[in-house]
Amino acid sequence: MSFLVGLAAAVLGNVVIGTGQCLQKYALNKLQRDWERTGTSTARTEAVAYSSNVYSSSIDMRQRGSSVSQPSRTVESKRGPLPRYTSKTWVLGLLLNYAGEVCGNAVALSYLSASVVAPVGIVSVLVNVLLAERLLGERITSNQKFGFTVIVAGVACILLVAPRSAGATDATQFVYMVQTSGIALLFGLLYVVQLLLVLVIRNGRQSLFVYVLVASIFGTMNVMVSKIMTMYVRLKMAFAGLPNPADIVVYGAVGAMSSATVTLPRALVALVMGVSVIGQESFRQQALGKYPVMQFQPVFFATYNVVATLSGLLLFKELDGWMHALVFFSVFSIGIGLILYGSRFLQKAKSVVLPSHIKLQKDNLLKSQ
């Protein structure tokens, strides 16, 4: 029963996430179009005003007997599109995105393994693509439909062998799991990798995969912390004396029992979650501003799946023995291979943009009806 509850929460949460991400992309496109439409008229207005001032100044200077003249030039507007937070649609998409994460995936993580919750994210991809066709003009071709079919098959392979356990079921198991997880070492390594990737982006070596990898690692860190905290909250209801997992990592089980209400490890956990959320959203928005949704979303999904699933299995030791590990990684590799293969058919997705004269005729026809 708990498995079905967690699965339902993950599916509904990802429907909301896919809707929110598409609304954010729609808002960004609209801000860009509004700027391009008003930028030209603004530049022309400033150019006319500047020419008038130059002409008036020239007459005034000639009346004073001066022979100095000023060359005419065109003043172009250097203002870019309005900030994304000025769009109510973008803010709504952001709220939906995190509502799906908190009320959907976070709840699911308290019942399911991260290796189950992460693949269910395919629901957000499908919702995103279907809405992108209607709202963003990103046409779905037959090749892309085939690609999505292959991706769904890859996800089915992963779900088939993914662990069904949610992790610890009592206080003793939880304390042992946190103590032996090595989460501090893993997060330290991930932050070093993030620093190197950000330096790569700053040096101008930008690519879709680099943005996706940075966003995926930030998302994975957030999932790992959320998994532990939701498990802690669930077990805390039954075991009132259960120590905080952040204190367990730093002070050990005995030291955590006598720790204060507010400690440095707990503050660090809050900082890590804040940085992870902001970092993931920042690089995801940068990628959405540079690449079509149909290119970004499947690649992000595949990369996030690999990083989150492997990190979850490593931290929480959810595989039952070597045989289970062998079967899982074999089928998991096939599933990821199918996801990556299917993503190749989505890379040619382009937004359908009508020529300006056709779009103008279409708008006039709509107004006349």
Side-chain angles (χ1 to χ4, degrees):
M1 184 63 182
S2 60
F3 178 81
L4 294 178
V5 172
L7 188 62
V11 170
L12 293 177
N14 280 285
V15 169
V16 176
I17 290 172
T19 303
Q21 290 179 350
C22 191
L23 287 177
Q24 286 181 298
K25 181 64 177 179
Y26 173 81
L28 292 175
N29 288 348
K30 187 176 185 302
L31 289 173
Q32 182 69 24
R33 288 196 303 269
D34 292 344
W35 173 65
E36 291 175 350
R37 184 172 61 250
T38 60
T40 303
S41 59
T42 302
R44 289 177 178 174
T45 302
E46 292 178 353
V48 170
Y50 181 81
S51 300
S52 301
N53 292 335
V54 170
Y55 179 73
S56 300
S57 299
S58 300
I59 294 178
D60 183 65
M61 293 175 70
R62 283 198 297 269
Q63 289 176 349
R64 297 182 181 182
S66 174
S67 60
V68 179
S69 62
Q70 299 184 21
S72 63
R73 63 183 178 92
T74 301
V75 179
E76 297 183 357
S77 176
K78 296 183 179 180
R79 292 175 298 176
L82 292 174
R84 61 192 63 187
Y85 56 80
T86 61
S87 170
K88 294 181 180 179
T89 303
W90 185 87
V91 174
L92 175 61
L94 181 65
L95 294 177
L96 288 177
N97 192 23
Y98 283 102
E101 291 286 357
V102 174
C103 301
N105 287 338
V107 173
L109 283 170
S110 66
Y111 293 98
L112 304 176
S113 165
S115 58
V116 175
V117 177
V120 174
I122 187 62
V123 174
S124 69
V125 178
L126 297 177
V127 171
N128 205 330
V129 169
L130 292 175
L131 291 178
E133 185 181 25
R134 294 179 176 274
L135 297 180
L136 308 180
E138 295 185 1
R139 186 179 59 187
I140 303 177
T141 66
S142 57
N143 282 341
Q144 292 159 3
K145 291 179 181 178
F146 173 75
F148 281 113
T149 303
V150 174
I151 291 175
V152 171
V155 171
C157 289
I158 296 174
L159 291 177
L160 185 65
V161 296
R164 296 294 189 265
S165 173
T169 57
D170 58 45
T172 303
Q173 291 181 359
F174 178 77
V175 171
Y176 177 78
M177 181 195 70
V178 174
Q179 278 186 311
T180 60
S181 64
I183 189 171
L185 177 60
L186 177 63
F187 274 37
L189 293 175
L190 290 179
Y191 272 116
V192 171
V193 173
Q194 291 292 68
L195 178 61
L196 295 176
L197 291 175
V198 170
L199 291 177
V200 168
I201 293 176
R202 285 183 172 272
N203 289 333
R205 299 178 182 178
Q206 301 177 4
S207 67
L208 175 60
F209 180 72
V210 174
Y211 281 106
V212 163
L213 185 56
V214 173
S216 298
I217 293 177
F218 275 127
T220 296
M221 289 190 288
N222 194 30
V223 166
M224 296 302 102
V225 175
S226 298
K227 171 72 173 177
I228 293 177
M229 295 308 298
T230 52
M231 197 183 306
Y232 168 71
V233 171
R234 179 167 58 85
L235 293 174
K236 184 74 171 178
M237 297 178 182
F239 305 94
L242 185 65
N244 190 282
D247 296 332
I248 296 175
V249 172
V250 177
Y251 304 127
V254 178
M257 295 294 294
S258 58
S259 60
T261 304
V262 179
T263 62
L264 179 60
R266 299 182 193 185
L268 289 176
V269 168
L271 179 62
V272 167
M273 292 194 70
V275 171
S276 300
V277 170
I278 295 174
Q280 181 186 19
E281 186 62 30
S282 174
F283 284 95
R284 185 164 58 185
Q285 290 301 322
Q286 291 181 51
L288 286 172
K290 296 176 180 290
Y291 306 96
V293 172
M294 289 188 189
Q295 287 187 16
F296 165 78
Q297 192 67 13
V299 178
F300 173 74
F301 172 72
T303 307
Y304 170 72
N305 230 307
V306 172
V307 179
T309 299
L310 295 181
S311 298
L313 294 176
L314 179 64
L315 289 180
F316 306 122
K317 301 176 179 61
E318 297 169 335
L319 297 177
D320 300 325
W322 290 102
M323 183 57 66
H324 187 194
L326 179 62
V327 173
F328 173 80
F329 284 113
S330 298
V331 179
F332 180 79
S333 299
I334 295 174
I336 292 300
L338 290 174
I339 292 173
L340 294 176
Y341 177 71
S343 298
R344 294 177 57 187
F345 292 88
L346 309 179
Q347 298 306 303
K348 297 180 180 180
K350 300 293 182 182
S351 298
V352 178
V353 181
L354 295 175
S356 57
H357 65 284
I358 297 179
K359 187 175 181 180
L360 181 60
Q361 293 176 4
K362 178 183 176 182
D363 294 340
N364 291 334
L365 288 174
L366 291 175
K367 291 180 180 178
S368 63
Q369 292 179 351

